Amino acid sequence: TILTKPTMDIKLEKKKGLRPRHYGYIALGILVLFGGWKLLYGTSASTFRTEKDRLTISQIAAGKFDDYITINGNVAPIATIYMDAYEGGRVAEKLIEEGTMVKKGDIILKLENMNLYEQILASESNLALKQNDLRSTRLTFDARQVQGRRSLATASTELQRLKRNFEQNEVLYADELISREVYLTSKENYELAQKQYEIIKLQTEQDDELRKTSLSGLDTDLDRMQQTLSMVYERLDHLNVRAPADGQLGFLDAEIGQSIAQGERIGQINVLTDFKIEAEIDEFYIDRVKRDLSATLERNDKEFPLRLRKVYPEVRNGRFKVDLVFAGEKPETIRTGQSYNIKLQLGASSEAILLPKGGFFQSTGGQWIFVVDPNGGEALKRSIRVGKQNSRFFEVLDGLEDGEQVITSNYDSFGEAERIVFK
């Protein structure tokens, strides 16, 4: 028999480390964790968390929308008349101070202008020379007129004498009582006298016509110079700066010794027979603000009606200017410079969904808003459409319903969030 040596079992040690199947478990675990994270925080990039007490939450309601805006205006005189210097000069005297009530024609300033004084002297001198020329010319024409009439009278008398002599000689020659030479001489003298008379008569008529024309032209020149002198005197009077109307001297930019240029604005008169209110309105309303719109001013629990009198077309810094006047009674204590809040009616009232105004509009432009969920735990972004607005509400055209709640406070801190979660 052959004896065999019993064999011994060899114990194999397990290999340490990750086996291939373990990678599958790890990948599965990572996938599960990612899915859970995505489920819980996948929208965190569009979610903003904040305390509810730090927000302004308003309720949407159906009601009457009053189509008006509230504007701030300042009381001003019904009219302001500016004073410009008709003539330049140096301020010699200041008679009235700013804020003083004046009557039309009151002298406020006295100016002096040496150049104007010299012009007046030159005009007076030229007028005197023209008057002397006219007087001299008139005397000359008068003398010629007298001489011409004397010559005409002499020629007429001589013509009558020679005519009578010719007619007598004509009869005598017919009876052969005088010679032919005597007859012809008397005839020639008579014909010559006729021609001389016609010449002198024509000359006299021409002198008379020339006298009328020349003197008329000289009279016209003289009248023109007198008018010019009167205008110069008016310029002299304009050195006295007068109040153009009854009212209050609003401001006066002139001091004694100051040189004022012609046409320079030196002051203004505030007409205080009535008042107007000057206001500025956001250009958003420029297409809706028209003349004769109604407005009201409230003071001491009493309303005073106003009417929009003028809309200025210029827009500056996003605002345009309007003037309103009182349509009836006005406050007793009204004064220039006072400031009032005015309710300007843009249209008739109507039923609408009302959205309270708030800081959200600056961020959204009224195109969207955060609507609070019915459970009150969060608010979601929603597109909306608004129409008219007044000092308290927007008119909602689409996107919101009666009874819903919205965040109306400022959205600047929300960033690009689509959802607001309340802590």
Side-chain angles (χ1 to χ4, degrees), residues 201 383 411:
K201 181 180 180 182
S383 296
Y411 288 2

Side-chain angles (χ1 to χ4, degrees), residues 271-325:
V271 180
L272 302 181
T273 54
D274 203 348
F275 296 91
K276 66 180 179 180
I277 296 181
E278 299 175 341
E280 290 188 346
I281 302 176
D282 191 284
E283 63 179 335
F284 176 83
Y285 301 100
I286 195 168
D287 293 331
R288 303 192 61 205
V289 175
K290 308 292 182 183
R291 285 187 57 186
D292 296 325
L293 288 180
S294 298
T296 55
L297 177 154
E298 185 174 347
R299 182 172 176 80
N300 297 329
D301 298 326
K302 185 176 180 181
E303 290 189 345
F304 299 90
L306 298 167
R307 176 179 61 84
L308 187 65
R309 186 179 73 168
K310 185 175 181 179
V311 179
Y312 294 85
E314 296 180 358
V315 177
R316 295 182 179 179
N317 300 322
R319 303 180 71 80
F320 64 97
K321 183 181 174 183
V322 298
D323 287 345
L324 302 103
V325 293

Side-chain angles (χ1 to χ4, degrees), residues 4-69:
T4 61
K5 190 177 180 179
T7 60
M8 299 180 62
D9 295 331
I10 300 174
K11 186 177 180 181
L12 300 176
E13 296 182 359
K14 294 182 179 179
K15 295 182 178 180
K16 297 181 179 180
L18 296 176
R19 296 184 180 183
R21 67 176 179 273
H22 294 158
Y23 291 106
Y25 297 147
I26 292 173
L28 181 60
I30 292 174
L31 185 61
V32 171
L33 290 175
F34 178 78
W37 177 83
K38 190 71 174 176
L39 182 63
L40 293 176
Y41 303 102
T43 58
S44 62
S46 60
T47 299
F48 183 85
R49 297 177 182 274
T50 185
E51 295 179 2
K52 192 173 184 179
D53 294 340
R54 299 178 62 183
L55 304 175
T56 300
I57 297 178
S58 305
Q59 186 166 343
I60 304 299
K64 186 169 105 173
F65 178 79
D66 294 323
D67 192 7
Y68 73 90
I69 57 174

Side-chain angles (χ1 to χ4, degrees), residues 18-274:
L18 296 176
R19 296 184 180 183
R21 67 176 179 273
H22 294 158
Y23 291 106
Y25 297 147
I26 292 173
L28 181 60
I30 292 174
L31 185 61
V32 171
L33 290 175
F34 178 78
W37 177 83
K38 190 71 174 176
L39 182 63
L40 293 176
Y41 303 102
T43 58
S44 62
S46 60
T47 299
F48 183 85
R49 297 177 182 274
T50 185
E51 295 179 2
K52 192 173 184 179
D53 294 340
R54 299 178 62 183
L55 304 175
T56 300
I57 297 178
S58 305
Q59 186 166 343
I60 304 299
K64 186 169 105 173
F65 178 79
D66 294 323
D67 192 7
Y68 73 90
I69 57 174
T70 300
I71 57 179
N72 184 267
N74 295 315
V75 178
I78 190 64
T80 298
I81 302 177
Y82 294 103
M83 295 189 304
D84 297 339
Y86 284 103
E87 290 293 334
R90 189 181 68 87
V91 179
E93 191 174 358
K94 186 176 180 181
L95 303 177
I96 300 177
E97 297 293 335
E98 294 181 2
T100 305
M101 300 301 296
V102 296
K103 294 290 185 181
K104 182 178 180 180
D106 288 350
I107 298 178
I108 299 173
L109 292 176
K110 287 188 175 181
L111 308 179
E112 57 183 14
N113 186 327
M114 301 307 298
N115 291 332
L116 184 57
Y117 299 150
E118 292 176 0
Q119 290 181 26
I120 293 175
L121 292 176
S123 297
E124 290 176 339
S125 177
N126 290 335
L127 179 61
L129 290 175
K130 200 70 175 179
Q131 289 174 331
N132 289 334
D133 289 344
L134 177 62
R135 189 179 298 109
S136 176
T137 303
R138 192 186 298 276
L139 291 174
T140 300
F141 276 116
D142 288 345
R144 289 188 60 178
Q145 186 180 44
V146 171
Q147 182 63 34
R149 289 178 179 178
R150 182 183 293 113
S151 298
L152 184 62
T154 301
S156 176
T157 301
E158 182 69 12
L159 177 64
Q160 292 295 329
R161 185 180 66 77
L162 293 176
K163 179 180 179 183
R164 185 172 59 253
N165 183 54
F166 167 68
E167 290 175 348
Q168 290 175 352
N169 288 340
E170 188 177 23
V171 173
L172 294 174
Y173 178 71
D175 294 338
E176 297 182 352
L177 296 176
I178 60 174
S179 66
R180 178 178 175 79
E181 182 64 25
V182 173
Y183 166 72
L184 291 176
T185 300
S186 62
K187 179 180 179 182
E188 291 172 350
N189 290 337
Y190 170 63
E191 290 175 349
L192 177 61
Q194 278 185 318
K195 293 178 180 179
Q196 289 179 337
Y197 175 79
E198 293 298 330
I199 292 173
I200 294 174
K201 181 180 180 182
L202 178 62
Q203 183 178 0
T204 303
E205 290 175 350
Q206 289 178 345
D207 286 345
D208 288 342
E209 187 67 25
L210 179 62
R211 178 180 184 276
K212 291 179 181 178
T213 304
S214 300
L215 292 181
S216 177
L218 289 173
D219 286 335
T220 301
D221 291 343
L222 185 62
D223 291 340
R224 187 180 297 112
M225 293 190 68
Q226 289 175 336
Q227 291 176 2
T228 302
L229 185 60
S230 298
M231 293 176 64
V232 175
Y233 284 143
E234 288 180 6
R235 292 181 60 188
L236 182 63
D237 184 64
H238 288 159
L239 291 177
N240 295 322
V241 180
R242 303 176 184 271
D246 296 350
Q248 183 185 49
L249 182 59
F251 82 92
L252 185 62
D253 185 15
E255 298 296 337
I256 294 178
Q258 178 180 345
S259 293
I260 304 295
Q262 185 177 17
E264 182 178 346
R265 179 154 298 170
I266 55 179
Q268 70 179 40
I269 300 295
N270 296 326
V271 180
L272 302 181
T273 54
D274 203 348

